[in-house]
Amino acid sequence: MTARAVAYSSTREFVPLYGLYALLFADHGLSTGAISSLFVIWSVVAFVSEVPSGAWADTVSRRGLLFGSGALVAVAFALWILWPTYWGFAAGFALWGVGESLKSGTFEALVYDELAALGAEHRYTATMGYANAGEMVCVFVATTTAAPLYDIGGYALVGWVSVALIVANTALVATLPSAPRTADADEFAGERSFVSRYVATVRAGTGEVRTDRVVRRAVLLAAALLAFLALDEYFGLLAREGGAATEHVPLLVALTVVGQVVGAATAGLTASMGGAAAGGVVVTGAVALAAGSVLGGVTAVGVTGVLGFVAIGVGYGALHNAAIVAEARVQETMSGRARATVASLVGLVSEVVSVTVYAGFAFGSVWFPLWASMVATAVLLLGVGIVAVRWLPATAGSTRCPSVDSQSH
């Protein structure tokens, strides 16, 4: 199960275009503000479709939704190459947003329920850590191949290779198990129609987040941490602002990916950390991101630039580690009656916060250099680290007092 999940999740991120698409937009005349508006479109579409798709994953085939997700993402990237204008990029982001929402919550619920059926729920954090590390390894390899592909065939070759790899990844969905729903989720099978099952699922998932304080805090914390992962959309632009040539940008961005790989791969080791430790990890990550952004943004050339992007990688890796642990605590804390729906609420809140981050960069670009906006965002991340001390739920091995839960209703 772990091998199949890691293989699918990892190769989903084997997309050379990731290392250059911000530059693709810039080289077709888009400003930092216009590029940020594309990211806003991406997030808005994703959060509008997030909960509906999550509830769908609790009522229909999860593998079917993953097939559809891959198809939409492939079409999105093809649009960028065939229609390289603002509206073509916007249409691609809209399709990508829907595609990602179909996967968000669906994949996590599939993995957790399959492990639960095997009596191996305790393996979930490590499994998702390996999956995320695999994703980052593929991002690293894909990013480093972007430069030679660009030299050979420009953005077109990078784009079409990316489309082909997404199609190949989608075929791997067939290797995933058709994970059973939990016993609690089976109650929805008694509903007479798809619509009634769907409505019951939405009510169960949103109701659990609304009435259970522990689950609600876990959802909000995980969502906030995931939202700040949106910072990587600006790493390439930061390198260019610091004076790096186009062919060198993917290599500098690849340094940040190394940090992500380490952060994700060690999630199994930090799976049981408490709130104080998680807060420390997030605060450390915020400081490293701020310092690296100053160094890399002022000059991305030479030793100083390399050190800057290494620091960014350390900070981003720490943030990635904390986000994986927080997401796993959501899975452990919820009842499981509408697992994908609750997980999709994490994605929903995350996208809302991401829109705020993108908007901040868009407005900030009018008056400040990009590195200054990165530092300001890192300062906000410090606040999330402080909140994590109290809001990260205890591990599954700890018992939750019924009287406390009842008071939170």
Side-chain angles (χ1 to χ4, degrees):
M1 173 59 203
T2 298
R4 287 178 286 170
V6 170
Y8 164 74
S9 186
S10 299
T11 55
R12 169 84 172 207
E13 302 303 315
F14 199 98
V15 182
L17 194 56
Y18 284 173
L20 289 174
Y21 69 69
L23 303 186
L24 166 68
F25 306 151
D27 287 343
H28 281 84
L30 275 63
S31 64
T32 299
I35 294 172
S36 292
S37 73
L38 292 176
F39 296 153
V40 169
I41 291 172
W42 184 23
S43 290
V44 168
V45 170
F47 77 64
V48 167
S49 56
E50 189 72 56
V51 174
S53 65
W56 201 4
D58 280 325
T59 52
V60 300
S61 168
R62 289 171 178 168
R63 288 194 302 182
L65 291 184
L66 294 178
F67 273 118
S69 171
L72 288 174
V73 173
V75 173
F77 293 158
L79 267 179
W80 288 354
I81 305 304
L82 296 172
W83 189 13
T85 67
Y86 178 86
W87 294 111
F89 298 143
F93 267 119
L95 290 176
W96 192 5
V98 175
E100 284 301 302
S101 70
L102 291 179
K103 178 178 180 287
S104 174
T106 303
F107 177 67
E108 291 83 354
L110 185 152
V111 172
Y112 193 93
D113 279 347
E114 178 64 20
L115 290 173
L118 299 172
E121 299 98 321
H122 62 283
R123 292 285 303 161
Y124 178 79
T125 305
T127 297
M128 296 307 295
Y130 294 143
N132 277 270
E135 290 174 5
M136 294 305 103
V137 169
C138 284
V139 168
F140 176 83
V141 175
T143 301
T144 55
T145 60
L149 287 173
Y150 177 82
D151 288 339
I152 295 171
Y155 289 120
L157 181 59
V158 177
W160 288 120
V161 168
S162 299
V163 170
L165 290 170
I166 286 292
V167 171
N169 165 263
T170 303
L172 291 179
V173 173
T175 68
L176 298 176
S178 182
R181 304 297 195 272
T182 62
D184 288 336
D186 287 340
E187 68 184 72
F188 300 131
E191 301 290 346
R192 293 184 177 182
S193 67
F194 169 79
V195 173
S196 59
R197 291 198 304 273
Y198 182 87
V199 171
T201 301
V202 171
R203 287 177 175 172
T206 57
E208 183 169 5
V209 174
R210 186 179 65 255
T211 60
D212 191 316
R213 182 175 58 188
V214 177
V215 174
R216 182 169 61 252
R217 286 182 170 183
V219 166
L220 292 175
L221 176 61
L225 291 171
L226 290 170
F228 280 98
L229 292 177
L231 287 173
D232 69 341
E233 303 298 340
Y234 295 97
F235 292 164
L237 295 174
L238 183 71
R240 171 168 282 186
E241 182 179 81
T246 299
E247 60 269 23
H248 294 153
V249 169
L251 301 179
L252 289 173
V253 174
L255 293 175
T256 70
V257 176
V258 174
Q260 297 174 58
V261 171
V262 175
T266 55
L269 299 177
T270 59
S272 60
M273 68 178 172
V281 169
V282 175
V283 169
T284 300
V287 172
L289 280 168
S293 296
V294 174
L295 290 174
V298 172
T299 174
V301 180
V303 176
T304 301
V306 171
L307 290 176
F309 277 84
V310 168
I312 290 173
V314 171
Y316 200 68
L319 179 57
H320 210 81
N321 181 280
I324 293 172
V325 172
E327 272 197 296
R329 297 293 170 85
V330 173
Q331 295 288 341
E332 294 175 357
T333 305
M334 74 174 81
S335 68
R337 297 174 65 242
R339 186 170 299 282
T341 305
V342 175
S344 71
L345 285 168
V346 175
L348 169 65
V349 179
S350 174
E351 294 297 344
V352 171
V353 179
S354 293
V355 168
T356 304
V357 173
Y358 296 142
F361 274 90
F363 288 113
S365 67
V366 177
W367 298 284
F368 306 106
L370 188 57
W371 66 262
S373 296
M374 294 282 287
V375 171
T377 306
V379 171
L380 295 176
L381 185 57
L382 289 174
V384 178
I386 295 172
V387 169
V389 174
R390 290 179 55 85
W391 282 19
L392 185 72
T395 60
S398 301
T399 57
R400 292 174 57 189
C401 177
S403 62
V404 172
D405 285 344
S406 63
Q407 290 172 5
S408 68
H409 286 200

